[in-house]
Amino acid sequence: MGVGMLEMLKTSDYASVISMNLFVALLCACIVIGHLLEENPWMNESITALLIGLCTGVVILWLSGGKSSHLLVFSEDLFFIYLLPPIIFNAGFQVKKKRFFVNFITIMMFGAIGTLISCSIITFGVSQIFKRMGIGTLDLGESLAIGAIFAATDSVCTLQVLNQDETPLLYSIVFGEGVVNDATSVVLFNAIKSFDLEQLDHGIALLFFGNFLYLFIASTLLGVLGGLLTAYIIKKLYFGRHSTDREVALMMLMAYLTYILAELWYLSGILTVFFCGIVMSHYTWHNVTESSRITTKHAFATLSFVAETFLFLYVGMDALDIEKWRFVSDRPGTSVIVSSVLLALVLIGRAAFVFPLSFLSNLTKKSQNEKISFRQQIIIWWAGLMRGAVSMALAYNEFTMSGHTQLRFNAIMITSTITVVLVSTMVFGMMTKPLIRYLLPLGPPPKRKNSMVNLEDSSPSPKSINVPFLGDNQDSEVETDVNDSQGPSSIRDLLTTPTHTVHHLWRKFDDAFMRPVFGGRGFVPVAPSTPTEYNAKPEWH
């Protein structure tokens, strides 16, 4: 009996080793083929990974005799605990902070208010249309959950085409909205699941809103504190004197610790790790040695890139999961109609806030260059039409138990989510490059997303190494604060002035208190730039 069990265990382990080997080989294929297709006007790395995943799924389905289509079982825990943190942290770590915070109000309008509007429209449409179709009786909680699932955007395809140096305003808004949108969707989804929405009254509504605000603020503060603590530790202990490895390891582990703590305390790990990345790029990154700066930039970008490729590859394979499709095989038309309804609601929900909120945002801008043109509004609308891994993970969380489901309605919702993700990513994603080239004819050539992380190649001293996420920060000391001294002469001035005032006050506070304590730009570690220099013995003459 014991020997038999041992043999089975060995077989099982061997099967999982084969699966991992194949999956890593597929990841390598995605990277190589994605690179070769970089100049193709219709393809990008996300779509390449999806297509390779689909083709692999077909092959596995054929070899297994129609029983399975994937090498690994999808788990929302795998997604939220291991794959999402490096993607979001790297987004915060390399964001151009000045541009992000100058457009902060617009980004928050699109990312938070826009997501709530989109969620409301999808919820209302689903509750009305599904009831008439006779698919199932949805309660308010399920309708809201579906709204939150499909309000989560995936703007990776658009960001791979846009260039933050050529179109800084557009890139900043699409990028910032994408992160805030993901965080809002997840916070909203968790808030919906934690409330009993059957007996809805004003008290519950206020409590729901209060809980939503608490999650937003607490998550942000936790990320900021994690980043500041890391900066303080590295500045005080000079880890670089001993080893670059320790500095890089501490930054990675502290960032991950903030994320795990946020999840442990039922906060938004996405917001936490994003703001931790921003704070680390502002303070911690300047406190480490030159070799650590180079290493961290490339290490974080590489981890993020691999995690993104892994996700799209897996979504492609999981799209053919025969177990879920078996439930809708007798009525395939139902799944098609449900997917079409959801796609239509996504299109309407997106348009319902992008154009009105862009109009409101433009009212607060004085300069024509700061306003969002109609063509840019179309690109912002288009960028948020794609649905991706966040929607998939939330759908699995809501409608399955550990990736499996035995209920017909749940299977319909999972297959419809997969269909929406595939259609939106592949059809809309393929049209992204041509659309942006048409709307922005003087726009940038196609550029890999990860090439945003570049070295300004010249001399190897720390002062000569500039990182794109610092953006124009080098010049931010010489900000024109004309608006700070003048009183607002119109509604537009009144709305614009606080941004400049807050930025000016923050600069003074940062220079007077934060940088002396936590380091940052201008702080040069006393340690040698590489461990080799430190270990080198002086020559005696």
Side-chain angles (χ1 to χ4, degrees):
M1 181 76 178
V3 177
M5 287 293 288
L6 192 62
E7 287 296 323
M8 283 176 65
L9 185 64
K10 283 180 180 175
T11 309
S12 171
D13 286 347
Y14 188 66
S16 63
V17 169
I18 291 174
S19 296
M20 287 307 298
N21 269 286
L22 286 170
F23 211 89
V24 172
L26 287 172
L27 280 171
C28 294
C30 288
I31 292 168
V32 172
I33 296 169
H35 179 74
L36 294 174
L37 294 174
E38 189 178 5
E39 301 298 321
N40 189 291
W42 301 100
M43 298 293 287
N44 58 46
E45 282 159 340
S46 308
I47 297 169
T48 304
L50 256 179
L51 286 173
I52 290 174
L54 275 170
C55 295
T56 309
V58 170
V59 172
I60 295 171
L61 205 59
W62 176 63
L63 291 174
S64 66
K67 292 177 182 175
S68 173
S69 70
H70 39 61
L71 302 168
L72 304 168
V73 177
F74 184 87
S75 158
E76 62 270 16
D77 292 336
L78 169 75
F79 171 72
F80 281 113
I81 295 175
Y82 300 111
L83 297 177
L84 196 58
I87 296 172
I88 303 297
F89 176 76
N90 186 58
F93 195 70
Q94 62 171 283
V95 67
K96 286 192 173 184
K97 296 187 295 294
K98 181 183 171 187
R99 177 63 64 178
F100 179 82
F101 285 107
V102 161
N103 295 316
F104 188 71
I105 294 171
T106 306
I107 287 169
M108 289 305 292
M109 279 169 63
F110 281 120
I113 299 169
T115 304
L116 292 173
I117 292 170
S118 179
C119 177
S120 305
I121 288 172
I122 294 168
T123 300
F124 179 76
V126 161
S127 62
Q128 295 301 309
I129 297 169
F130 284 10
K131 192 187 296 180
R132 292 177 186 176
M133 286 173 62
I135 293 173
T137 308
L138 290 175
D139 59 31
L140 181 62
E142 285 176 324
S143 298
L144 281 167
I146 293 170
I149 288 166
F150 288 97
T153 66
D154 191 335
S155 47
V156 170
C157 288
T158 311
L159 290 173
Q160 284 176 345
V161 182
L162 288 175
N163 186 321
Q164 60 180 340
D165 296 317
E166 298 285 340
T167 52
L169 173 67
L170 188 58
Y171 187 96
S172 168
I173 292 172
V174 171
F175 171 83
E177 188 224 336
V179 175
V180 177
N181 166 277
D182 283 349
T184 307
S185 301
V186 175
V187 168
L188 193 59
F189 183 82
N190 290 336
I192 289 162
K193 294 205 75 167
S194 62
F195 274 86
D196 179 17
L197 299 167
E198 291 305 309
Q199 301 166 339
L200 196 63
D201 56 26
H202 296 297
I204 290 272
L206 281 172
L207 200 62
F208 183 85
F209 186 70
N211 185 51
F212 187 78
L213 279 181
Y214 158 74
L215 285 172
F216 242 91
I217 294 165
S219 303
T220 302
L221 285 176
L222 178 61
V224 169
L225 288 172
L228 290 177
L229 181 62
T230 313
Y232 185 79
I233 290 171
I234 288 182
K235 180 174 181 286
K236 285 296 177 188
L237 299 184
Y238 295 120
F239 273 85
R241 269 189 315 195
H242 309 292
S243 168
T244 289
D245 301 339
R246 289 194 185 106
E247 288 179 338
V248 178
L250 187 71
M251 287 175 75
M252 283 184 173
L253 291 172
M254 284 295 288
Y256 192 63
L257 180 64
T258 60
Y259 183 87
I260 295 297
L261 280 174
E263 294 297 314
L264 182 68
W265 294 335
Y266 300 102
L267 301 174
S268 168
I270 294 177
L271 269 180
T272 298
V273 81
F274 177 70
F275 279 98
C276 181
I278 287 179
V279 172
M280 279 197 186
S281 77
H282 189 65
Y283 296 110
T284 317
W285 190 82
H286 295 275
N287 298 346
V288 299
T289 52
E290 175 197 338
S291 53
S292 297
R293 295 181 194 186
I294 298 167
T295 306
T296 50
K297 286 184 301 177
H298 291 292
F300 296 150
T302 303
L303 283 172
S304 169
F305 175 65
V306 171
E308 273 182 16
T309 309
F310 182 98
L311 280 172
F312 280 107
L313 179 64
Y314 190 83
V315 167
M317 278 195 284
D318 199 60
L320 296 168
D321 185 3
I322 205 72
E323 179 193 326
K324 300 176 189 72
W325 287 105
R326 193 175 287 127
F327 283 95
V328 294
S329 59
D330 58 330
R331 289 172 63 192
T334 305
S335 187
V336 172
I337 294 168
V338 170
S339 305
S340 305
V341 167
L342 289 168
L343 266 174
L345 289 171
V346 163
L347 289 162
I348 296 164
R350 183 82 186 156
F353 75 83
V354 167
F355 299 107
L357 292 183
S358 297
F359 174 75
L360 288 176
S361 175
N362 286 344
L363 290 178
T364 69
K365 310 292 184 186
K366 282 183 175 181
S367 165
Q368 197 63 34
N369 292 334
E370 293 178 352
K371 292 186 177 182
I372 307 168
S373 69
F374 183 67
R375 290 187 170 204
Q376 288 176 328
Q377 289 175 36
I378 293 173
I379 292 172
I380 293 169
W381 171 72
W382 187 267
L385 292 179
M386 281 148 275
R387 295 295 175 265
V390 175
S391 292
M392 287 279 289
L394 293 180
Y396 270 78
N397 187 296
E398 175 69 14
F399 298 112
T400 71
M401 187 67 68
S402 302
H404 301 284
T405 182
Q406 297 299 324
L407 298 174
R408 181 180 172 76
F409 175 74
N410 287 359
I412 288 173
M413 287 311 303
I414 290 290
T415 52
S416 299
T417 305
I418 290 169
T419 307
V420 169
V421 168
L422 282 177
V423 171
S424 62
T425 305
M426 290 176 66
V427 177
F428 298 159
M430 281 182 175
M431 293 169 65
T432 298
K433 276 185 189 176
L435 180 75
I436 290 177
R437 284 179 180 176
Y438 173 73
L439 292 173
L440 303 174
L442 300 176
K447 193 170 183 180
R448 278 184 55 159
K449 187 181 176 193
N450 280 0
S451 63
M452 291 184 291
V453 185
N454 287 326
L455 284 177
E456 299 271 344
D457 39 314
S458 46
S459 85
S461 80
K463 290 181 183 177
S464 70
I465 295 177
N466 294 325
V467 172
F469 54 66
L470 297 176
D472 302 321
N473 258 10
Q474 285 82 351
D475 311 321
S476 55
E477 299 289 351
V478 208
E479 290 287 338
T480 52
D481 294 321
V482 183
N483 291 326
D484 297 347
S485 54
Q486 296 173 353
S489 57
S490 66
I491 294 176
R492 179 162 52 196
D493 288 355
L494 187 67
L495 289 166
T496 310
T497 301
T499 310
H500 295 281
T501 309
V502 168
H503 185 260
H504 177 67
L505 292 173
W506 161 249
R507 274 277 158 231
K508 292 177 74 173
F509 176 71
D510 194 29
D511 292 338
F513 175 72
M514 298 297 283
R515 283 185 187 166
V517 175
F518 298 105
R521 185 159 48 86
F523 178 82
V524 181
V526 295
S529 60
T530 62
T532 325
E533 289 176 36
Y534 178 72
N535 294 329
K537 294 179 181 177
E539 293 180 7
W540 299 96
H541 297 287

